[in-house]
Amino acid sequence: MPMLLTIRSLSKSFPGARALDQVDLDLRAGEVHALLGENGAGKSTLIKCLTGAYRRDSGEIRLDGAAISPGSTSEAQELGIGTVYQEVNLLPNLTVAQNLTFGREPRRFGLVNGRAQREEARRMLSGYGLDIDVGRDLGTYSVAIQQIVAIARAVELSGKVLILDEPTASLDAEETRMLFGVVRSLRDKGLGIIFVSHFLDQVFELTDRLTVLRNGQKIVTEETARLDRVKLIEHMLGRELAEVEDAERRRTDPEAKNRSELIRFENLGRSGLVQPFDLAVHRGEVIGLAGLLGSGRTETAELMFGVRAADSGKARDENGDVACGNPREAIGSGFGFAPEDRKTDGIVADLSVRENIILALQARRGWANPIPRAEQDRLADAYIQKLDIRTSGADKAVGDLSGGNQQKVVLARWLAMNPRFLILDEPTRGIDVGAHAEILRLIHQITGEGMSILVISSELDELIAVSDRIIVVRDRKHVAELTGDDVTTGAIVRAIAADDGAHK
Amino acid sequence: MTANARLYPLFATIAIFIAAYAICWMQFPYMLSTRVVGNLLTDNAYLGIVAVGMTVVILSGGIDLSVGSVIAFSGVFISVVLRDTSLHPLVVFALLLSVTTAFGAFMGLIIHWLAMPAFIVTLAGMFLARGAAYMLTIDSVPIDHAFYEFIKDSYYLMPGKGRLTVIAVVMLLSVAFGALIAHRTRFGASVFALGGGVQTARLMGVNVGQTTVLVYAFSGFMAGLSGIVFSIYTGSGYPLATVGTELTAIAAVVIGGTILTGGAGYVVGTLFGVLTMGLIQTYIVFDGTLSSWWTKIVIGLLLLLFIVLQKGLLKLTGTQRDAALA
């Protein structure tokens, strides 16, 4: 069968990182093709190269046999490649009809003909099973309807290839079903559809074939029906069950079970985010949180630290209730949280290493009670030495440091607060292998001093290496807890992959 | 099916105007004469015209602080050129409009090219235009021309002896023209798109640079036209005139139901905003005992009311969507 879209040896590099390495992809007309991979696997880069947002470094893209090289989103659109993103890229303050016909409004005597515009919009929406008033603002409709309107516009403008980038991330089950109906009918009309999602159930339900990317490389392209969940997750995480049983493992402290309890989270949860869970944290313990992207692992941390308000449950320690309803309270209760995206949520790039380290400490003291400069210098120098932060001085801007050293600065900030419970979300994301090992060594060192840590990571090896205990999260539920000899990559992958029926 | 939520602020504006007029009428029955209506339109003509330009700017998510100075510059420019040359006023008007339109376009260009906030760029424009007015003259220059007399003397006598002046008609036509541009052209759709989100607008194919330049050029044109009308209204040009008019215009736009962050509103609402503000002034004149600063207090209260209303409305549409999601 002739391919609608073929990609050969596509490569794209950014300073310091090879985002795509010789990637091949074939898309047939009339198929839904899933594109899978963890964060940083290269999915978004590939899509941006297709839609003209990025220029590829090398490789070839052919559409209907002809080589193409779109330089902008609109150029890609004219060639026949339309994209619908997770956040609807339409204007909520315009009417549905205006959004659908934007740039091609029917006109009479130079003025937009509103009646013809609404008729055109209704024609475009016919076949999508939507019976809505196209004269109303798009923003008054649900995200699902906005999503379908966006699809209708993309199909009308391009009509050959439709890229759906996490279209279901903010939809509920009923809405997802509605969206899938639309996608299937478009497939039957002969469109080639690329479907990006991290909901594996949806991938199995909707797609005909799938391609897995990892670390910028194509790992496999396969008929969806010929893969099972375990195999798929192995591809995504890059682990073969057989080879991992002997992965290096933190020596579990036999005393661990006898260590006293530090904090107990009871029935903590928020509907739509994470189902209520119980979790007891012991002194000096490292808890690993494993799960795929979007499974609820980061959300669990956000609930604990009060970044998002929980609608049920509470935290308590030996002295009674612990306040953690918002980050300020959580910090007051001795919690710390180093978030996943260091660049946007962690460091303040323009401030110096010293200022970044004392930031949280100063915030706790209040602005009226500044930390004396001598004390600041002492703290900064102490942590630069202790964590081996490679910087020419405490007054260098953090933005100039390498990723690993930035991460250490974030770590130093929380250690300066001397918390009793520290949450690290993807502490080794985007840093090189050497720094990687150092961060892990630091985690061991910290817990040796009595602090408790919760680590979230997609790198199973890393989790296994540092954790005393691993909680597996799937579909926004805490589904399994692994301790002692059960902590193996195989067990984690099986727990992530298990269907609801099989694993309750 | 209920009316589109975007219409609520416009309804609120019109309802407030009608209610205010009713209160005035109950106290002073003469308020409902065509004379008062005629004066209301004439006295606020220059404000109405400049507010139309401001509405388009605000709809695009921008702001134009230069317009008050541009009006003053326009008056001075016209009066000085008429005094020193023998050009016909209509030629002078054409000259002036090309100057103010180019001035606006230039500001739009800088805003787009340098990716600077409109607030700062037009603030600079405000000082530039005011300075340029001073450079032409520091005195109040009277305009003494047969054409000006002719325009002042031509009006339509409405039943009840109210006068519909030329400048009032120019204002009403400006509103109609502005409404057409904003709501019935592709350019207008692009303006709303910019106000809804620059990034999204670009993805949908809006030429962001061109639209930004045109928006500020339009505002410059309207400010020039307002300057012409103001010079006819006062019969002179004075560099210290219309200080702060840009803020009054912004107030009229917001009271007219346009959301200050852009992307939602109606040009015709601005007309009602201007008329409501004019009505308060008229009421104070009728009353005779109230000091004129009451105008400012009432306008301040109205502004607050509208800000609260808009916030509530955003919440309301938000919950509607949430409800639809659930």
Side-chain angles (χ1 to χ4, degrees), chain A residues 73-74 77 85 88-95 98-100 102-108 110-114 132-133 135-144 146 153 170-172 175, chain B residues 1-6 8 59 180-206 262-264 317-318 320-321 324-326:
Chain A
T73 319
S74 49
Q77 224 161 49
Y85 300 93
V88 180
N89 273 284
L90 295 179
L91 291 156
N93 62 321
L94 297 185
T95 64
Q98 280 178 311
N99 270 294
L100 280 171
F102 197 94
R104 306 172 300 110
E105 296 92 343
R107 288 187 291 188
R108 206 170 40 178
L111 295 180
V112 174
N113 183 343
I132 59 174
D133 179 358
R136 287 175 73 103
D137 285 3
L138 182 72
T140 58
Y141 290 106
S142 71
V143 178
Q146 296 189 31
R153 180 178 158 87
S170 40
L171 305 189
D172 64 25
E175 292 172 327
Chain B
M1 196 158 258
T2 52
N4 205 330
R6 68 154 72 176
Y8 293 166
L59 280 176
L180 219 56
I181 294 254
H183 305 303
R184 294 294 302 277
T185 64
R186 283 190 187 174
F187 167 70
S190 298
V191 169
F192 274 82
L194 276 193
V198 178
Q199 213 46 46
T200 312
R202 189 172 285 130
L203 274 177
M204 288 184 72
V206 173
T317 48
Q320 261 182 13
R321 184 153 66 179
L325 262 173

Side-chain angles (χ1 to χ4, degrees), chain B residues 185-319:
Chain B
T185 64
R186 283 190 187 174
F187 167 70
S190 298
V191 169
F192 274 82
L194 276 193
V198 178
Q199 213 46 46
T200 312
R202 189 172 285 130
L203 274 177
M204 288 184 72
V206 173
N207 186 335
V208 175
Q210 185 193 326
T211 309
T212 307
V213 169
L214 283 177
V215 161
Y216 288 90
F218 181 73
S219 177
F221 177 84
M222 282 299 174
L225 189 61
S226 172
I228 293 170
V229 163
F230 193 69
S231 76
I232 295 169
Y233 182 61
T234 59
S236 66
Y238 182 44
L240 258 180
T242 58
V243 170
T245 296
E246 61 279 349
L247 301 180
T248 316
I250 293 169
V253 172
V254 172
I255 293 177
T258 298
I259 290 179
L260 200 48
T261 47
Y266 288 89
V267 173
V268 75
T270 300
L271 173 64
F272 282 95
V274 168
L275 292 180
T276 305
M277 287 164 68
L279 189 67
I280 299 162
Q281 204 118 34
T282 312
Y283 176 86
I284 284 161
V285 171
F286 262 74
D287 184 272
T289 61
L290 289 171
S291 161
S292 69
W293 42 258
W294 275 103
T295 321
K296 310 239 179 234
I297 291 182
V298 176
I299 289 173
L301 290 175
L302 271 181
L303 266 178
L304 277 178
L305 176 78
F306 266 85
I307 292 164
V308 171
L309 186 81
Q310 289 179 359
K311 205 73 192 166
L313 210 66
L314 284 179
K315 266 225 168 82
L316 194 76
T317 48
T319 46

Side-chain angles (χ1 to χ4, degrees), chain A residues 7 15 40 63 71 86 124 225 252 258 327 361 386 413 423 430 473:
Chain A
I7 298 173
L63 183 64
Q86 175 184 352
M124 283 169 71
T252 317
N258 306 328
L361 196 60
K386 186 172 174 189
R413 177 193 302 160
I423 302 167
V473 191

Side-chain angles (χ1 to χ4, degrees), chain A residues 96-323:
Chain A
V96 174
Q98 280 178 311
N99 270 294
L100 280 171
T101 61
F102 197 94
R104 306 172 300 110
E105 296 92 343
R107 288 187 291 188
R108 206 170 40 178
F109 313 124
L111 295 180
V112 174
N113 183 343
R115 183 189 305 263
Q117 185 178 37
R118 286 189 293 276
E119 244 156 53
E120 169 77 6
R122 276 191 285 270
R123 183 194 63 74
M124 283 169 71
L125 284 182
S126 67
Y128 288 91
L130 277 191
D131 183 25
I132 59 174
D133 179 358
V134 295
R136 287 175 73 103
D137 285 3
L138 182 72
T140 58
Y141 290 106
S142 71
V143 178
I145 289 177
Q146 296 189 31
Q147 204 68 264
I148 290 174
V149 172
I151 290 175
R153 180 178 158 87
V155 168
E156 182 79 16
L157 289 181
S158 6
K160 287 180 186 165
V161 175
L162 180 64
I163 301 171
L164 301 174
D165 191 357
E166 306 249 6
T168 57
S170 40
L171 305 189
D172 64 25
E174 182 53 40
E175 292 172 327
T176 302
R177 201 157 26 244
M178 182 163 91
L179 187 79
F180 281 9
V182 167
V183 172
R184 286 196 188 98
S185 76
L186 289 173
R187 174 189 63 193
D188 297 343
K189 282 183 196 154
L191 260 77
I193 296 163
I194 296 178
F195 179 78
V196 180
S197 176
H198 52 249
F199 295 113
L200 298 188
D201 290 343
Q202 298 181 358
V203 169
F204 281 107
E205 187 188 336
L206 182 69
T207 64
D208 304 303
R209 293 197 304 157
L210 58 82
T211 292
V212 175
L213 296 182
R214 195 174 70 235
N215 295 329
Q217 290 176 317
K218 190 193 91 166
I219 302 303
V220 70
T221 295
E222 187 59 272
E223 306 274 330
T224 307
R226 292 167 63 174
L227 274 175
D228 60 19
R229 299 176 69 95
V230 174
K231 198 75 197 149
L232 177 56
I233 290 165
E234 283 172 10
H235 284 314
M236 290 172 65
L237 299 181
R239 291 278 119 207
E240 302 269 336
L241 281 182
E243 80 174 54
V244 295
E245 301 294 348
D246 53 351
E248 192 192 335
R249 166 95 179 89
R250 173 184 166 105
R251 289 187 309 281
T252 317
D253 186 350
E255 299 298 307
K257 292 205 172 60
N258 306 328
R259 277 183 291 206
S260 58
E261 199 171 288
L262 179 69
I263 299 161
R264 172 178 283 277
F265 295 93
E266 286 172 355
N267 201 33
L268 196 67
R270 180 189 168 92
S271 62
L273 206 62
V274 183
Q275 287 194 10
F277 61 89
D278 295 324
L279 181 63
V281 182
H282 299 92
R283 271 179 232 283
E285 182 184 36
V286 181
I287 300 175
L289 210 53
L292 293 178
L293 188 67
S295 58
R297 52 183 200 205
T298 295
E299 289 80 355
T300 297
E302 287 178 340
L303 281 182
M304 288 175 166
F305 196 63
V307 178
R308 308 236 213 160
D311 58 13
S312 75
K314 59 184 174 186
R316 41 189 311 146
D317 61 10
E318 59 216 13
N319 300 321
D321 286 356
V322 173

Side-chain angles (χ1 to χ4, degrees), chain B residues 9 33 35 38 54 94 137 217 224 226 238 251 253 278:
Chain B
S33 70
R35 286 195 191 202
M54 186 68 80
T137 179
S226 172
Y238 182 44
V253 172

